[in-house]
């Protein structure tokens, strides 16, 4: 059997939207695919720091995180885009200028501001930063190193100004009216698959993408076989 690269989104795909859990059928499918000689990868908009460690015990060959900005295979980091230093400072200052709340998502930690009052971001901090893996930090206390960001808008936010200042350096994925993912230009879930194709020597027709959301569109359009979830 020709080896395929099979890429699974997390939320709404591996994890059931209603229960937030991985079904036994899904666990068995991943196991069966790998036993049949295929490569199984998580391909998620989440950063590595936001992945529940329990998901990594399901037997995946590696992960594509942060919409293609961080890739691992086995125990090796193959690719890691890192926004840090002056580049990170510019992002933080521009977010403040445009009155936009954000979560900066990195491989080791995800970061928010001490000034954040957005209930959704606070809920994310409490869940991932305490219940899951304690990988949360305040960017005022620790200089952030991250791959991408999630931004949440309020009545005072100036998204157009932020987009204009970001110029061609960043791509925006609209997840809902007030929620966007912002990724360094040139990266997507599709570029992550393309990277693995070259690394593992797998042809495009032997790639499979499974997802359910707008940030999955790039990999669904790119892959040889695309499966959109029915939820």
């Amino acid at each position: 059997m020709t080896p395929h690269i099979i890429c699974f989104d997390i939320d709404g795909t591996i994890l059931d939207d209603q229960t937030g859990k991985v079904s036994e059928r899904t666990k068995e499918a991943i196991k069966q695919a790998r036993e049949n000689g295929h490569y199984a990868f998580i391909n998620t908009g989440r950063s590595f720091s936001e992945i529940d460690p329990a998901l990594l015990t399901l037997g995946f060959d590696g992960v594509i995180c942060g919409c293609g900005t961080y890739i691992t295979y086995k125990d090796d980091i193959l690719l890691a885009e890192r926004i840090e230093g002056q580049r990170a400072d510019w992002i933080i200052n521009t977010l403040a200028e445009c009155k936009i709340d954000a979560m900066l998502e990195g491989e080791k930690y995800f970061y928010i501001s001490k000034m954040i009052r957005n209930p959704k971001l606070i809920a994310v901090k409490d869940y991932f930063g305490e219940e899951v893996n304690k990988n949360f930090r305040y960017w005022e206390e620790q200089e952030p190193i991250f791959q991408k960001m999630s931004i949440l808008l309020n009545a005072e936010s100036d998204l157009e100004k932020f987009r204009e200042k970001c110029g061609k350096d960043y791509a925006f994925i609209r997840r809902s009216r007030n929620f966007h993912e912002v990724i360094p230009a040139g990266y997507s879930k599709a570029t992550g698959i393309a990277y693995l194709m070259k690394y593992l020597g797998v042809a495009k027709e032997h790639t499979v993408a499974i997802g359910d959301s707008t940030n999955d569109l790039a990999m669904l359009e790119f892959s040889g076989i695309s499966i959109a979830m029915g939820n």
Side-chain angles (χ1 to χ4, degrees), residues 27-44:
K27 293 177 184 178
E28 181 59 31
I30 294 167
K31 178 183 176 183
Q32 187 73 59
R34 295 191 71 241
E35 288 178 353
N36 288 342
H38 303 301
Y39 301 102
F41 284 84
I42 288 174
N43 195 345
T44 180

Side-chain angles (χ1 to χ4, degrees), residues 92-144:
I92 289 171
N93 292 335
T94 306
L95 287 166
E97 180 182 345
C98 298
K99 296 181 171 56
I100 294 174
D101 293 328
M103 178 168 67
L104 312 180
E105 302 164 80
E107 64 205 75
K108 292 184 178 179
Y109 306 108
F110 65 93
Y111 310 81
I112 67 171
S113 170
K114 285 183 173 181
M115 306 301 291
I116 290 294
R117 295 295 180 266
N118 186 291
K120 289 185 178 180
L121 281 180
I122 292 172
V124 169
K125 172 189 75 76
D126 291 343
Y127 177 69
F128 288 107
E130 295 297 333
E131 295 182 32
V132 175
N133 52 26
K134 302 186 186 304
N135 286 343
F136 146 77
R137 296 290 187 274
Y138 288 118
W139 67 55
E140 291 91 346
E141 295 181 347
Q142 182 168 320
E143 292 187 10

Side-chain angles (χ1 to χ4, degrees), residues 11 16 21 36 38 46 48 63 70 76 97 103 122 125 131 149 152 159 171-172 179 194 206 210 212 217 227:
D11 299 292
D16 184 276
K21 297 181 179 180
N36 288 342
H38 303 301
R46 297 191 194 189
F48 190 73
V63 299
Y70 182 83
D76 295 326
E97 180 182 345
M103 178 168 67
I122 292 172
K125 172 189 75 76
E131 295 182 32
M149 69 194 99
L152 285 91
L159 176 61
F172 288 68
F179 169 35
H206 298 138
I210 310 171
D212 74 311
L217 288 174
I227 302 168

Side-chain angles (χ1 to χ4, degrees), residues 6 34 39-43 48 51 56 59-65 71-76 196:
I6 308 174
R34 295 191 71 241
Y39 301 102
F41 284 84
I42 288 174
N43 195 345
F48 190 73
I51 295 181
L56 301 177
F60 291 101
D61 291 285
V63 299
I64 303 170
C65 292
I71 302 174
T72 70
Y73 175 61
K74 305 299 184 183
D75 295 324
D76 295 326
L196 287 176

Side-chain angles (χ1 to χ4, degrees), residues 122-194:
I122 292 172
V124 169
K125 172 189 75 76
D126 291 343
Y127 177 69
F128 288 107
E130 295 297 333
E131 295 182 32
V132 175
N133 52 26
K134 302 186 186 304
N135 286 343
F136 146 77
R137 296 290 187 274
Y138 288 118
W139 67 55
E140 291 91 346
E141 295 181 347
Q142 182 168 320
E143 292 187 10
I145 302 173
F146 58 102
Q147 274 85 44
K148 56 160 301 234
M149 69 194 99
S150 292
I151 62 173
L152 285 91
L153 310 177
N154 56 62
E156 298 180 339
S157 299
D158 191 338
L159 176 61
E160 291 310 310
K161 181 178 179 179
F162 185 66
R163 291 178 71 110
E164 183 179 341
K165 284 182 169 289
C166 286
K168 296 181 180 179
D169 293 333
Y170 295 90
F172 288 68
I173 301 175
R174 186 178 188 270
R175 299 295 301 275
S176 68
R177 185 169 64 88
N178 294 321
F179 169 35
H180 293 71
E181 288 181 278
V182 184
I183 301 108
Y187 291 99
S188 70
K189 289 188 176 186
T191 66
I193 296 174

Side-chain angles (χ1 to χ4, degrees), residues 1-9 13 29 33 38-44 60 64 189-190 192-194 196-197 200 202-211 216 218-229:
M1 183 177 293
T2 302
H4 286 55
I5 296 172
I6 308 174
C7 289
F8 300 81
D9 175 47
T13 303
H38 303 301
Y39 301 102
F41 284 84
I42 288 174
N43 195 345
T44 180
F60 291 101
I64 303 170
K189 289 188 176 186
I193 296 174
L196 287 176
M197 283 168 46
L200 297 172
V202 173
K204 184 176 180 178
E205 59 264 33
H206 298 138
T207 60
V208 183
I210 310 171
D216 295 312
M219 73 170 180
L220 291 170
E221 292 169 351
F222 174 83
S223 296
I225 302 171
S226 298
I227 302 168
M229 295 295 291

